[in-house]
Amino acid sequence: MGQVRIYHNPKCSTSRKALQRIRDTGVEPEIVRYLDTPPTRAELAAMITAAGLTPAQAVRRREALFGELQLAGADDDALLDAMAEHPRLIERPFVVTDTGTRLARPVESIDEIL
């Protein structure tokens, strides 16, 4: 298996489960703590597209900041701008491998790219 990268938030149980699932395959992934080192807008857009998602599917709607910024009904560009500026709004975790990119919700969705 080639490179495996996880955009990780250690406070998130789903993110921790995805990291463990990767490690259970015998791989130690590159861990990107995206709140500390967020992807650029272009990287984020590419990751979302590669996962077969839209920005509306990749944004954390339950995050209080989503409401504060009045993002309900926002278009893709506005959502990408908001996620790039405020990485807390990025749904997690994204896992990127040579085989593909997935949002690990549910965690089992990463199995096909590991």
Side-chain angles (χ1 to χ4, degrees), residues 6-110:
I6 182 170
Y7 289 84
H8 182 58
N9 179 346
K11 293 182 180 179
C12 171
S13 64
T14 301
S15 195
R16 290 191 308 269
K17 288 176 189 174
L19 178 58
Q20 187 58 52
R21 196 168 192 97
I22 294 165
R23 287 178 169 158
D24 287 347
T25 69
V27 172
E28 183 57 36
E30 174 188 354
I31 299 171
V32 177
R33 290 185 177 215
Y34 71 93
L35 294 176
D36 299 328
T37 309
T40 65
R41 186 187 189 281
E43 291 168 335
L44 181 60
M47 202 165 40
I48 290 169
T49 299
L53 301 172
T54 65
Q57 294 169 310
V59 69
R60 291 185 59 80
R61 294 178 176 277
R62 296 172 303 198
E63 182 68 45
L65 187 58
F66 182 86
E68 291 169 20
L69 295 174
Q70 300 177 357
L71 293 172
D75 65 17
D76 287 351
D77 283 332
L79 291 174
L80 281 170
D81 289 344
M83 287 187 281
E85 185 175 345
H86 306 283
R88 291 187 341 212
L89 291 170
I90 302 170
E91 189 62 90
R92 62 196 178 244
F94 272 92
V95 176
V96 179
T97 72
D98 296 338
T99 314
T101 301
R102 296 290 181 275
L103 176 59
R105 289 186 173 269
V107 172
E108 296 80 15
S109 66
I110 63 174

